[in-house]
């Protein structure tokens, strides 16, 4: 009986071990099969964008992360949008998703990023760290969040050779589908903007944008047919810059962008700490001091001599009008 009992226990142990080995073998085969299908699907999706005039390349595409994660790795990423005349290259891409939560993807992207456009400028960007996360659906990306540390960008006009340098300590961008609409919130903290040969008009500041684009949720999934921002209508909840100490300039209101990239809208401009803005601009642009004084007095007069003011701006296909009839400038097509 004792020998028979030991034999039965031994058989159960061997059976359990065989079952574990079988499960591991099936799981391993399933992981590599899923990785193979995912790789083929990813490359197929990239290829499908050619119908929209966009080609994308993931050099040395490979899937890693066994056993509990699966992620796409590329040594280089390149995107060429022929219809809009934009080509961008990046460094290495690393991504991962947990096997038990495949809809949640985290990824990192290395610089530098090189951008060339047919609209007359090139840009080169580098950063210390770029991390992002995506929540996906069957129809593409549902929402995304991106954080960039130490962004440095150099923009050069190929027509005038004018150079603009942009440095941002911390960048946050949040995008999400809201029904058929696209919500976008972007913050650029401790931003410094300089241009060769021109005075620095502002000190370090924070730029913010909180916008909804009507009917543009498909942009987040790359399924808008390559139209981009053309033909867009939306709402600016806040777009502005903050110098700190309550020194804020912001714009809000509905807007639209036509098929030629010209902006129209009925907006509200608000300026807080008018005196501080006046002193700041006069210090950096002394040659424009009389004009700055006149503008600050006009703004202050709108509130009976106060230090904050708001006024209505009308954008008519790029032309900027105060009060609906006083032209003060023009915004070029995007």
């Amino acid at each position: 009986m004792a020998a028979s009992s030991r034999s039965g226990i031994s058989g159960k142990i061997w059976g359990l071990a065989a079952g574990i080995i079988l499960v591991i073998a099936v799981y391993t085969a399933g992981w590599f099969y899923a990785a193979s299908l995912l790789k083929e699907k990813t490359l197929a999706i990239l290829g499908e964008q050619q119908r929209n005039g966009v080609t994308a390349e993931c050099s040395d595409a490979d899937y890693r992360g066994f056993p509990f994660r699966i992620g796409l790795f590329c040594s280089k990423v390149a995107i060429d949008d022929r219809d809009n005349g934009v080509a961008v290259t990046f460094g290495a891409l690393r991504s991962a998703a947990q096997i038990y939560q495949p809809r949640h993807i985290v990824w990192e992207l290395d610089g530098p990023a090189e951008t060339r456009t047919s609209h007359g400028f090139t840009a080169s960007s580098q950063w210390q760290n770029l991390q992002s996360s995506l929540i996906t659906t069957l129809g593409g990306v549902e929402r995304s969040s991106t954080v960039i540390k130490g962004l440095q960008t150099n923009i050069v006009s190929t027509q005038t050779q004018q150079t603009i340098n942009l440095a941002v300590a911390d960048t946050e961008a949040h995008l999400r589908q809201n029904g058929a609409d696209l919500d976008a919130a972007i913050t650029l903290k401790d931003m410094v903007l300089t241009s060769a040969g021109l005075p620095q008009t502002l000190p370090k500041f924070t730029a913010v944008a909180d916008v909804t684009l009507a009917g543009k949720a498909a942009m987040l999934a790359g399924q808008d047919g390559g139209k981009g921002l053309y033909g867009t209508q939306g709402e600016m909840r806040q777009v502005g810059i903050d110098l700190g100490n309550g020194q804020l300039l912001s714009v809000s209101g509905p807007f639209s962008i036509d098929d030629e990239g010209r902006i129209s809208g009925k907006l509200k401009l608000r300026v807080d700490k008018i005196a501080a803005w006046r002193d700041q601009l006069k210090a950096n642009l002394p040659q424009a001091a009389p004009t700055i004084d006149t503008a600050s007095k006009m703004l202050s007069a709108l509130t009976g001599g106060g230090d904050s003011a708001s006024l209505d701006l009308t954008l008519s296909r790029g032309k900027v009008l105060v009060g609906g009839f006083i032209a003060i400038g023009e915004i070029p097509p995007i």
Side-chain angles (χ1 to χ4, degrees):
M1 289 294 295
S4 175
S5 176
R6 286 195 298 271
S7 176
I9 293 174
S10 177
K12 290 180 180 179
I13 291 175
W14 280 108
L16 178 61
I20 292 173
I21 293 173
L22 178 61
V23 169
I24 292 174
V26 171
Y27 179 87
T28 301
W31 188 96
F32 282 100
Y33 178 69
S36 175
L37 290 180
L38 189 56
K39 181 175 181 179
E40 292 178 5
K41 180 61 175 177
T42 301
L43 296 178
I45 291 174
L46 294 178
E48 288 172 0
Q49 295 301 316
Q50 294 184 19
R51 295 179 300 183
N52 299 325
V54 179
T55 59
E57 177 185 357
C58 174
S59 300
D60 304 316
D62 188 22
Y63 281 88
R64 309 172 192 170
F66 180 82
F68 301 117
R69 296 189 299 175
I70 184 169
L72 171 65
F73 286 69
C74 308
S75 62
K76 179 181 178 182
V77 177
I79 301 172
D80 189 357
D81 184 347
R82 295 187 303 275
D83 290 350
N84 293 304
V86 179
V88 188
T89 60
F90 301 94
L93 169 71
R94 299 173 296 279
S95 66
Q98 303 292 340
I99 288 295
Y100 58 83
Q101 197 176 14
R103 293 179 57 237
H104 185 197
I105 302 169
V106 295
W107 56 276
E108 295 181 343
L109 186 63
D110 292 342
E114 303 289 344
T115 304
R116 302 182 307 279
T117 79
S118 60
H119 303 293
F121 74 88
T122 62
S124 176
S125 299
Q126 185 57 282
W127 49 84
Q128 296 173 5
N129 184 268
L130 189 159
Q131 296 181 324
S132 184
S133 65
L134 304 173
I135 301 297
T136 63
T137 64
L138 294 177
V141 179
E142 179 181 316
R143 62 182 183 270
S144 73
S145 297
T146 303
V147 176
I148 307 174
K149 299 289 186 180
L151 175 64
Q152 300 277 345
T153 297
N154 174 265
I155 303 172
V156 180
S157 169
T158 57
Q159 297 176 349
T160 66
Q161 299 306 307
Q162 182 66 49
T163 300
I164 297 175
N165 297 305
L166 174 67
V168 185
D170 296 286
T171 302
E172 288 191 24
H174 302 277
L175 304 172
R176 68 167 185 173
Q177 292 189 27
N178 184 6
D181 302 335
L182 175 63
D183 291 337
I186 302 172
T187 301
L188 306 174
K189 187 177 180 181
D190 292 340
M191 178 175 173
V192 177
L193 185 64
T194 59
S195 182
L198 297 176
Q200 183 176 338
T201 57
L202 293 175
K204 186 181 296 183
F205 63 94
T206 294
V208 296
D210 186 0
V211 179
T212 292
L213 303 178
K216 286 295 183 177
M219 284 183 63
L220 193 54
Q223 299 173 355
D224 66 329
K227 293 181 179 180
L229 295 176
Y230 294 152
T232 297
Q233 293 184 344
E235 180 79 19
M236 297 183 193
R237 283 181 289 276
Q238 182 186 28
V239 175
I241 57 177
D242 186 352
L243 300 187
N245 301 316
Q247 205 171 334
L248 178 67
L249 183 151
S250 62
V251 177
S252 60
F255 70 97
S256 64
I257 303 173
D258 64 19
D259 292 336
E260 296 178 354
R262 297 189 179 277
I263 304 176
S264 299
K266 297 287 187 179
L267 307 178
K268 179 76 71 175
L269 171 68
R270 179 173 178 84
V271 183
D272 293 319
K273 300 288 186 180
I274 296 174
W277 277 99
R278 179 198 62 210
D279 295 341
Q280 182 74 61
L281 293 175
K282 285 174 64 176
N284 293 336
L285 298 170
Q287 70 278 13
T291 302
I292 295 170
D293 279 332
T294 300
S296 65
K297 290 177 181 178
M298 291 177 61
L299 284 173
S300 183
L302 293 174
T303 57
D307 204 27
S308 298
S310 63
L311 65 156
D312 295 327
L313 291 180
T314 299
L315 303 183
S316 179
R317 301 195 74 243
K319 294 181 180 179
V320 184
L321 307 173
V322 176
F325 61 91
I326 303 175
I328 61 173
E330 185 169 355
I331 301 174
I334 62 174

